[in-house]
Amino acid sequence: MRSALILAVLLFTIYTINFGSLGSNDTTPTRYLPLSLFYDHNFDLDEFTFLFDGKRLPYFLVAGHDRRHAYSTFGIGTALTALPVFLAPMGMKSSWTWDEVILVAKVAASLIVALSCVFLFFALRRWL
């Protein structure tokens, strides 16, 4: 158990040490979907108008059936997995800057990677 905890802390530290992000627009909907789920209780990204200022939606958003809502082109699994990490910061503030969203998303991604490695560690330790 101790080695798994050390592994988790080490991996989390390695992944978050630069607090930077090489994210592309592919990850933009995933970063904002937890905010939409928490504040508006829906899966559309209509409240983030800066994501689609032009007449055409960017490639990472798709219009709903009624053409009144914008949804992520990509799956929602990662955003749902990151939602628990977003909960504490979202409870403290209601407006977010781009840099704050990237920071919380980075912490969420690092935590997910570290925990998945610990899960793999326990699975392989038991199996091998």
Side-chain angles (χ1 to χ4, degrees), residues 45-99:
L45 297 168
D46 297 342
E47 60 271 26
F48 306 108
T49 55
F50 60 89
L51 295 177
F52 50 94
D53 283 337
K55 293 197 178 250
R56 293 184 62 202
L57 290 176
Y59 73 93
F60 55 83
L61 294 177
V62 64
H65 295 295
D66 58 3
R67 300 269 184 220
R68 293 184 357 212
H69 300 289
Y71 297 96
S72 173
T73 305
F74 305 102
I76 61 170
T78 307
L80 291 175
T81 306
L83 183 62
V85 178
F86 275 79
L87 287 178
M90 284 188 295
M92 291 187 254
K93 61 186 305 182
S94 59
S95 63
W96 290 71
T97 66
W98 175 260
D99 291 333

Side-chain angles (χ1 to χ4, degrees), residues 100-121:
E100 291 169 336
V101 171
I102 289 177
L103 178 65
V104 175
K106 172 76 172 191
V107 170
S110 298
L111 187 62
I112 291 167
V113 167
L115 292 177
S116 66
C117 288
V118 167
F119 175 77
L120 187 60
F121 172 79

